[in-house]
Amino acid sequence: MEGPAFMLNPGPASASPQTLRALSTPVTYHNDPFFIERFRRAQDRLAQILETQHDVVLMQGECMLGLEAAARSLVWPGMRCLNLASGIYGKGMGMWLRSFGAEVIEIEVPFRDVVDPADVRRAFDEHPGISLVTVVHSETPCGTLTAVEEIGPIAKEHGALTLVDAASTLGGVPLRPDEWKLDVCVGASQKCLGAPAGISLMTVSDDAWGAMRANPDAPRASILSLLDWKELWLEQGKFPLTPSISDMYGVDAAFGEVLEIGVPRYFGRHERAAAACRAGIAAMGLELFPRSADIASPCVTAIALPDEIDDLQLCGHVRERYGVVLGDSEGAGKIVRIGHMGIAARSFEPVVGLSALGRGLMDFGVEVSLGDGLEAAAMAVGEAALETVQAPSV
Ligand SMILES: *Cc1c(COP(=O)(O)O)cnc(C)c1O
């Protein structure tokens, strides 16, 4: 079977040629100085991308592992947590917190919306004793972006820690753990970085380490143990387990490429791709799923589908007929998605996504102004590219 021509699904994103090359580095012994040097370099590179002094932890396993490890390490039975639920991942976090015995206060909003930071402040006033706020930066299935830059400082002001699911944003969308006072951030290697899935990219503040050390329920001697990484690797330079050697080479190369391109420029690509998608779908006569463009995510565009169209059928058809992979709704609603992560945010890739989506919908009998949409998107890409060229180089 032939692989797809374009992967415009919201992760896993395609790997760049540099990352693919790094993945063919010989598999080395994990305690070999060469691997250790690369591992440390990857940590430093991530810290540079995130402008963070917090500890960076590259934990073994797809980012769901990092999220579960962080939640289990921070939460103890009876702890009062505030969970912000504006999508599937936020709701899932609430289920985890309850299953770990936390007393969960939840702010739930429709999937087209995000939680307003003012409501977070109100929740602190109404429910004293909240120790942890859990929030998803970009709800990838819904295509929304939550203002964690405002939520982090509110939590800190009230003495609470924050745990941020930054799976789909880390590396491609601004995220500043220190400045935004975010205690634990967890990102995925396979989204905006286009590296293999398999490493949780995490930052942990001193306050968060303090809370984990004080928590008798925090996992130890476990693949879910963040404290093992702190006490063995960060403090003694000994790996708690064998890291996935090849994945680490891939992740290190992906970080290197972001730094080489320049962090603002790399982030800018995602912004530009998102703006092009939004311009295109509006001109095509389609509707954005998020309630407004100001809460739309820079890494994925979620489009509302007409009631009669099934997202899985549509995506299957577009994949089979045109070789383009789009994102289905993951059960979040009447949604189809164009991912613009990593190399899928480059150049006219979003226009390819819009072409495939528009043509696919026409095949299902939906009226679409395809030409207008593609023109609007191409113009948006062109104008943004012009700005990049004219801007001082970074
Ligand atoms: C991709 C992603 C994850 C990781 O989830 P998978 O189901 O393993 O893909 C977690 N949170 C968010 C917001 C994501 O986008």
Side-chain angles (χ1 to χ4, degrees):
M1 193 194 227
E2 213 180 320
F6 293 94
M7 281 194 11
L8 301 175
N9 52 306
S14 298
S16 71
Q18 285 94 317
T19 299
L20 290 174
R21 241 187 339 269
L23 286 171
S24 66
T25 310
V27 175
T28 25
Y29 174 43
H30 62 285
N31 289 323
D32 188 88
F34 180 81
F35 180 75
I36 290 175
E37 187 258 330
R38 285 302 165 87
F39 195 95
R40 290 194 196 283
R41 184 170 80 176
Q43 282 179 181
D44 293 346
R45 284 175 163 179
L46 180 55
Q48 214 181 319
I49 292 168
L50 298 178
E51 297 176 40
T52 188
Q53 308 289 321
H54 294 176
D55 279 333
V56 165
V57 184
L58 304 175
M59 216 174 168
Q60 190 72 356
E62 197 273 335
C63 84
M64 293 304 282
L65 178 131
L67 284 167
E68 184 174 345
R72 282 189 187 275
S73 299
L74 290 169
V75 173
W76 62 86
M79 179 192 206
R80 193 169 255 202
C81 298
L82 174 64
N83 184 48
L84 311 187
S86 58
I88 287 176
Y89 288 101
K91 286 186 83 111
M93 178 57 78
M95 279 155 53
W96 265 350
L97 296 175
R98 277 178 221 105
S99 77
F100 305 157
E103 183 203 323
V104 182
I105 295 152
E106 202 153 71
I107 306 181
E108 196 175 343
V109 295
F111 284 9
R112 305 187 98 125
D113 209 341
V114 294
V115 173
D116 185 340
D119 291 333
V120 174
R121 189 175 287 284
R122 194 164 317 120
F124 273 106
D125 293 340
E126 284 169 9
H127 307 277
I130 292 168
S131 315
L132 176 69
V133 178
T134 46
V135 56
V136 179
H137 194 195
S138 175
E139 268 291 352
T140 323
C142 313
T144 55
L145 189 76
T146 293
V148 294
E149 69 278 14
E150 291 178 52
I151 291 164
I154 294 170
K156 196 55 67 179
E157 202 183 297
H158 291 85
L161 298 171
T162 42
L163 166 54
V164 182
D165 174 348
S168 56
T169 49
L170 187 148
V173 178
L175 174 72
R176 299 202 186 87
D178 308 37
E179 191 187 327
W180 300 352
K181 313 229 178 300
L182 306 172
D183 292 289
V184 181
C185 296
V186 185
S189 44
Q190 76 273 23
K191 303 272 170 88
C192 288
L193 291 157
I199 315 280
S200 294
L201 315 173
M202 313 176 66
T203 63
V204 183
S205 71
D206 286 343
D207 287 352
W209 287 129
M212 288 179 206
R213 282 184 157 139
N215 179 11
D217 288 339
R220 285 184 182 270
S222 154
I223 192 157
L224 287 168
S225 178
L226 265 163
L227 287 171
D228 286 356
W229 277 95
K230 174 69 171 164
E231 290 165 6
L232 295 174
W233 171 248
L234 294 176
E235 290 175 0
Q236 298 176 52
K238 291 184 202 146
F239 287 119
L241 41 66
T242 307
S244 176
I245 309 293
S246 300
D247 286 354
M248 278 306 310
Y249 288 135
V251 165
D252 171 62
F255 292 153
E257 205 177 335
V258 174
L259 292 169
E260 193 185 313
I261 290 163
V263 174
R265 180 164 292 191
Y266 193 76
F267 289 175
R269 276 184 187 175
H270 294 82
E271 277 290 349
R272 177 179 78 186
C277 281
R278 291 195 297 267
I281 64 156
M284 243 188 244
L286 298 172
E287 200 193 322
L288 199 62
F289 180 75
R291 67 161 166 73
S292 66
D294 63 309
I295 60 162
S297 177
C299 59
V300 54
T301 298
I303 298 125
L305 275 180
D307 276 345
E308 66 277 15
I309 304 296
D310 177 78
D311 60 313
L312 286 170
Q313 251 182 337
L314 174 68
C315 291
H317 168 80
V318 169
R319 160 70 177 82
E320 192 185 336
R321 180 152 318 165
Y322 304 114
V324 178
V325 184
L326 300 174
D328 61 58
S329 68
E330 287 189 81
K334 276 276 159 198
I335 300 172
V336 63
R337 296 174 299 156
I338 300 176
H340 21 87
M341 298 175 170
I343 64 176
R346 285 188 315 185
S347 179
F348 286 106
E349 298 257 350
V351 182
V352 172
L354 289 162
S355 311
L357 171 64
R359 191 65 184 85
L361 284 169
M362 286 165 84
D363 294 338
F364 281 81
V366 178
E367 251 183 70
V368 174
S369 305
L370 185 56
D372 292 346
L374 300 187
E375 181 178 358
M379 293 309 285
V381 171
E383 278 152 30
L386 210 57
E387 280 165 31
T388 318
V389 173
Q390 286 169 348
S393 58
V394 283

